[in-house]
Amino acid sequence: MPQLLPPPTPNANPRTWLAVLMVMATASACGNKIGDDCRSSIDCSFDGDRSCDVSQPGGYCTVQGCDVRSCPDEAMCVRFFPSQYLTKPCDPATEDISSNECAPDELCLESGLCAPRATERRYCAVKCSNNGDCRDNYECRYVGEHGSSSLDPKDLGRARFCAPRPS
């Protein structure tokens, strides 16, 4: 959070009070939660601990390269794999036990497709329980759909996050 100047004295010019109130209102109005819209990373965090993914509709405040402990309470770390690399089918229930459908450098996603581990990207995404929890042009999606995966196995098929609606 940026350092603000001390409040003006009671005898200060009314314009000084107005300026301080405007700065405080602007600072408190900044959308810095995961999933909020943004145009630049400063919209997400003054401290630089969150970034704005401008490739998402309206921008998306996130933490890139997250792990299971680096997302705030309202969010979860989701792994994404580009769909153009998800081509070979696999069975996630048997992949690590009895079959080797995916190559050693691939992961069998819950969607039943092999994904090259090198293409993985991690982002904090806001949790949701239904579409009403997400902003316009976003939907509440289960982890494991559309090339997404979770770092925490207990989230698979149960946890949901807000993601752009497919076009």
Side-chain angles (χ1 to χ4, degrees):
M1 181 105 178
Q3 295 264 334
L4 298 177
L5 297 175
T9 62
N11 300 339
N13 180 328
R15 288 184 186 175
T16 304
W17 276 104
L18 181 61
V20 168
L21 289 174
M22 288 177 63
V23 167
M24 290 173 61
T26 302
S28 66
C30 291
N32 61 358
K33 290 186 177 178
I34 300 298
D36 282 353
D37 61 339
C38 55
R39 288 185 284 178
S40 73
S41 292
I42 198 73
D43 293 336
C44 302
S45 171
F46 289 114
D47 298 331
D49 59 341
R50 297 182 183 170
S51 61
C52 179
D53 182 354
V54 295
S55 69
Q56 304 303 318
Y60 195 97
C61 288
T62 189
V63 174
Q64 295 182 15
C66 58
D67 61 36
V68 292
R69 292 177 300 281
S70 60
C71 296
D73 289 342
E74 77 270 11
M76 62 186 297
C77 187
V78 180
R79 302 188 294 184
F80 295 93
F81 298 88
S83 60
Q84 68 264 29
Y85 299 110
L86 308 179
T87 57
K88 189 168 48 171
C90 61
D91 182 354
T94 62
E95 178 61 26
D96 292 333
I97 301 167
S98 62
S99 70
N100 290 321
E101 296 155 330
C102 297
D105 64 339
E106 293 178 322
L107 176 69
C108 184
L109 300 179
E110 297 78 28
S111 61
L113 293 170
C114 296
R117 293 177 191 269
T119 65
E120 175 183 309
R121 299 292 176 260
R122 297 178 184 184
Y123 298 95
C124 288
V126 68
K127 296 176 190 175
C128 58
S129 56
N130 59 58
N131 286 338
D133 294 338
C134 302
R135 58 183 229 234
D136 290 344
N137 299 317
Y138 283 76
E139 66 182 7
C140 190
R141 186 180 298 166
Y142 283 103
V143 174
E145 297 178 345
H146 301 281
S148 67
S149 183
S150 173
L151 293 173
D152 191 343
K154 71 177 174 47
D155 290 337
L156 300 178
R158 288 180 288 218
R160 298 171 81 179
F161 66 99
C162 292
R165 290 187 192 279
S167 45

